[in-house]
Amino acid sequence: MPRSTQRQVAHGLLMVDGKILVLRRAPGRASGGRWDIPGGAVAPGGNAARAVERRFHEETGLRVRADAELIRQPGSEAETVIYLVRPAGPTEPVTLGPESDASAWIPPAGVFSGDVVPYVPLAVAAFQRRPGRR
C-alpha cells in the first residue's frame, strides 16, 4: 500500500489462547476510560510496523512482532493502521505504562459491546475474515 502523508497511529491486535489483550485508557488521556489495543503515534517518516512493536512494549512490557496489516483507516486527525501482532516473548505479566489504568484478556466477541474505541471491533472483524486465521 502507498504510504500516506497524513499523521499515523499504529496499534497491535494480540490474540493469545483465543483472547485479545485490551487496555483501558487512563482518565485525562486520549480515549480516557475506553478500552483500546496497545499502540500510538508513528514518528514522521517512521515505519508503522516498528512503531507498533515499540509502543506495544512501552504500554504493556510485552515484546511483539508486527505480522500482517489488518486495517488502514483514514481519519480527520490521523490515519490508523492496525496490525496483527505475534508474541516475541512471554505474554505475562502485563506491565501498564502511564497511558492506561487496567488491562484484560477478552474473547473477540467482547469488543463488540462495552466502551471500546471504534477501530477495535473493525480490527477484530478484519482478523476474523482472514483466511487460515491464527
Side-chain angles (χ1 to χ4, degrees):
M1 277 185 184
R3 285 192 61 95
S4 169
T5 57
Q6 186 179 25
R7 186 174 79 86
Q8 283 188 319
V9 292
H11 292 269
L13 180 75
L14 175 63
M15 185 171 298
V16 175
D17 297 329
K19 294 190 177 176
I20 296 167
L21 178 62
V22 292
L23 307 176
R24 188 175 59 208
R25 296 301 178 187
R29 300 287 188 157
S31 300
R34 299 176 85 187
W35 291 93
D36 197 356
I37 52 179
V42 178
N47 178 291
R50 299 299 75 80
V52 78
E53 293 169 352
R54 176 183 54 79
R55 290 295 303 210
F56 210 100
H57 184 256
E58 290 171 358
E59 293 188 12
T60 67
L62 305 180
R63 299 270 182 206
V64 298
R65 271 182 284 206
D67 184 10
E69 185 178 302
L70 291 173
I71 63 170
R72 183 175 291 259
Q73 182 180 30
S76 60
E77 296 181 24
E79 176 182 63
T80 300
V81 184
I82 300 182
Y83 289 91
L84 178 61
V85 297
R86 304 281 183 200
T91 57
E92 294 288 343
V94 174
T95 306
L96 296 176
E99 294 180 355
S100 301
D101 64 4
S103 68
W105 291 93
I106 63 171
V111 304
F112 296 102
S113 62
D115 202 3
V116 178
V117 295
Y119 51 78
V120 175
L122 297 175
V124 170
F127 169 76
Q128 291 174 331
R129 287 190 305 268
R130 285 174 48 97
R133 64 185 174 151
R134 47 180 201 94

